[in-house]
Amino acid sequence: MFRKTPSEERDTTLFQEMKKELSPHLESVDAKMKSFLDRHAKIIFCSMILLILASFILTFYVLKPEAPTQAHGFKKDLKALPDGMAGEFSALQDLTLRAAKMTELKAEIERIISQDSISKSDSIYLEKAIEQLQYFHKQAKEDEH
């Protein structure tokens, strides 16, 4: 039952043997699929277009998801945590959001400063961004103490 069947060639692999055994079957399936697609090309094309349109309509008009915002989801998760852990997690979330905002502000300030000339709107944004960075730095020092 578990006897090894020797191959006729010494350097053959399992993949080569499988290909040799299954290639006639796969070629016939391939030929049938091609003939089916050739015979019904217009119907297949129209059905694809209808499926795309139906998907568009369902996505934007029928199935309007009422997904809560990410912050709302975090608040639900925080309620499930124990009291001491929820406060620490909330503080960690605040620090993460603050760090992301600081990184974004620094990148925007560097982009504006690297320009040859600064427009009035860029100047106003630069002032506000610097004020926000100073506020974040002051908050960080207060959190340390």
Side-chain angles (χ1 to χ4, degrees):
M1 180 171 171
F2 293 108
R3 192 172 1 159
K4 183 178 176 183
T5 36
S7 176
E8 294 173 3
E9 298 177 19
R10 299 288 270 163
D11 296 331
T12 59
T13 62
L14 177 66
F15 180 71
Q16 290 171 344
E17 288 294 320
M18 294 287 288
K19 185 178 178 182
K20 187 167 61 173
E21 288 293 323
L22 297 176
S23 64
H25 302 292
L26 293 176
E27 288 174 0
S28 67
V29 169
D30 188 38
K32 289 178 184 177
M33 287 298 294
K34 283 182 183 177
S35 65
F36 176 79
L37 292 174
D38 287 339
R39 278 183 287 159
H40 304 290
K42 288 182 181 180
I43 296 172
I44 293 171
F45 178 75
C46 291
S47 63
M48 286 189 328
I49 297 297
L50 287 174
L51 285 173
I52 290 171
L53 289 174
S55 173
F56 177 79
I57 290 169
L58 286 173
T59 301
F60 292 107
Y61 297 110
V62 177
L63 303 174
K64 292 184 180 179
E66 296 179 16
T69 61
Q70 188 175 15
H72 183 65
F74 281 139
K75 288 180 183 176
K76 281 185 178 178
D77 293 339
L78 283 177
K79 290 178 183 175
L81 294 174
D83 290 335
M85 188 75 128
E88 292 176 10
F89 186 74
S90 177
L92 180 64
Q93 182 183 8
D94 290 341
L95 286 173
T96 305
L97 293 173
R98 197 180 315 162
K101 184 68 174 170
M102 285 177 64
T103 305
E104 180 183 326
L105 286 172
K106 285 180 182 179
E108 191 64 24
I109 289 171
E110 288 175 3
R111 184 193 65 80
I112 292 173
I113 291 174
S114 67
Q115 293 177 353
D116 292 335
S117 63
I118 298 174
S119 68
K120 187 175 181 178
S121 62
D122 284 342
S123 176
I124 294 170
Y125 180 82
L126 190 60
E127 287 177 12
K128 289 182 181 179
I130 290 173
E131 287 175 8
Q132 285 181 345
L133 276 178
Q134 289 173 345
Y135 173 75
F136 284 138
H137 283 292
K138 187 171 33 167
Q139 286 286 12
K141 288 180 183 177
E142 288 176 4
D143 288 342
E144 289 176 1
H145 293 48

